[in-house]
């Protein structure tokens, strides 16, 4: 069961992302393991790197390194076609209430991959099988990310504690 902001029990990886390149590499690595029906929840304060992660994930998952990825801050959702399935990027910062998710096509989007910034706004709609990333900004400008979920899939991944292998 998912708790607050997508926190899951079970295996947790804690990683130090030393720079933007490390965040991009992590997103690309996780895109390799994503499949239809997945939800990826990105939480953290403003400026933590959620949008950077989302752009890198979308480019990798869609196999389009130059893909234009505008922020869905005002539209709330942006959808993309990828070779495996559709992927929808939700930014719920401006979501008025979870009741609006139906109008945004949440149920249809769940057939593909959903990438969600500000997942705590999902409230009761929070998927219990999601991959949750909680990003914190450290005083030195580095990022610490706590990753939980997808336990069986990520056992095979090279998930280094310091992000060095990412």
């Amino acid at each position: 069961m998912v708790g607050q902001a997508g926190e899951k029990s079970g295996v947790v990886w804690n990683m130090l992302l030393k720079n933007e390149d490390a965040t991009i590499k992590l997103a690309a690595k996780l895109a390799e393991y994503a499949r239809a029906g997945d939800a990826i929840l990105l939480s953290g304060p403003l400026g933590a790197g959620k949008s950077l992660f989302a752009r890198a994930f979308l480019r990798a998952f869609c196999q389009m390194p130059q893909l234009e990825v505008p922020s869905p801050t005002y539209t709330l959702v942006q959808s993309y076609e990828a070779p495996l399935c559709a992927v929808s990027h939700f930014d719920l910062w401006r979501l008025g209430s979870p009741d609006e998710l139906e109008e945004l096509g949440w149920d249809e989007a769940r057939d593909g991959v959903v990438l969600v910034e500000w997942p705590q706004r999902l409230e009761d709609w929070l998927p219990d099988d999601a991959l949750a990333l909680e990003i914190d900004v450290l005083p030195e400008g580095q990022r610490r990310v706590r990753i939980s979920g997808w336990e069986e899939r990520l056992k095979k991944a090279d998930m280094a504690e310091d992000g060095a292998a990412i």
Side-chain angles (χ1 to χ4, degrees), residues 17-48:
L17 302 174
K18 296 178 181 179
N19 53 39
E20 287 187 358
D21 286 342
T23 301
I24 291 167
K25 288 177 184 176
L26 175 61
K29 173 62 83 177
L30 293 176
E32 293 175 19
Y33 292 91
R35 57 185 179 218
D38 282 342
I40 300 163
L41 310 177
L42 305 172
S43 60
L46 286 170

Side-chain angles (χ1 to χ4, degrees), residues 4 7-8 29-30 41 46 49-50 77 83 93 101 116 120 131 135 140 146 150 156:
Q4 184 178 15
E7 184 177 317
K8 295 180 68 88
K29 173 62 83 177
L30 293 176
L41 310 177
L46 286 170
K50 297 180 298 292
V77 64
W93 175 250
L101 288 168
V116 183
Q120 63 272 26
L131 179 70
I135 306 169
E140 311 81 43
R146 182 176 189 264
W150 294 4
K156 302 172 194 160

Side-chain angles (χ1 to χ4, degrees), residues 3-156:
Q4 184 178 15
E7 184 177 317
K8 295 180 68 88
S9 58
V11 175
V12 173
W13 289 269
N14 290 296
M15 305 175 91
L16 180 63
L17 302 174
K18 296 178 181 179
N19 53 39
E20 287 187 358
D21 286 342
T23 301
I24 291 167
K25 288 177 184 176
L26 175 61
K29 173 62 83 177
L30 293 176
E32 293 175 19
Y33 292 91
R35 57 185 179 218
D38 282 342
I40 300 163
L41 310 177
L42 305 172
S43 60
L46 286 170
K50 297 180 298 292
S51 294
L52 174 69
F53 178 94
R55 283 187 186 94
F57 178 90
L58 289 162
R59 288 175 178 148
F61 189 76
C62 292
Q63 300 175 12
M64 297 177 66
Q66 303 304 317
L67 179 66
E68 182 68 29
V69 182
S71 173
T73 299
Y74 294 101
T75 59
L76 302 182
V77 64
Q78 185 73 33
S79 297
Y80 303 86
E81 289 301 320
L84 182 63
C85 63
V87 58
S88 298
H89 179 197
F90 288 83
D91 183 332
L92 302 180
W93 175 250
R94 294 173 26 93
L95 187 71
S97 84
D99 297 335
E100 295 174 15
L101 288 168
E102 191 172 340
E103 294 173 33
L104 294 174
W106 176 260
D107 288 334
E108 296 81 16
R110 289 289 287 138
D111 290 337
V113 172
V114 295
L115 186 61
V116 183
E117 295 184 55
W118 304 101
Q120 63 272 26
R121 298 191 188 268
L122 289 169
E123 295 180 12
D124 292 341
W125 295 65
L126 204 60
D128 62 2
D129 57 351
L131 179 70
L133 285 84
E134 191 174 323
I135 306 169
D136 292 312
V137 181
L138 302 177
E140 311 81 43
Q142 298 174 339
R143 303 311 193 244
R144 180 178 41 233
V145 63
R146 182 176 189 264
I147 304 169
S148 59
W150 294 4
E151 184 174 336
E152 291 303 313
R153 279 186 262 176
L154 295 185
K155 279 183 185 177
K156 302 172 194 160

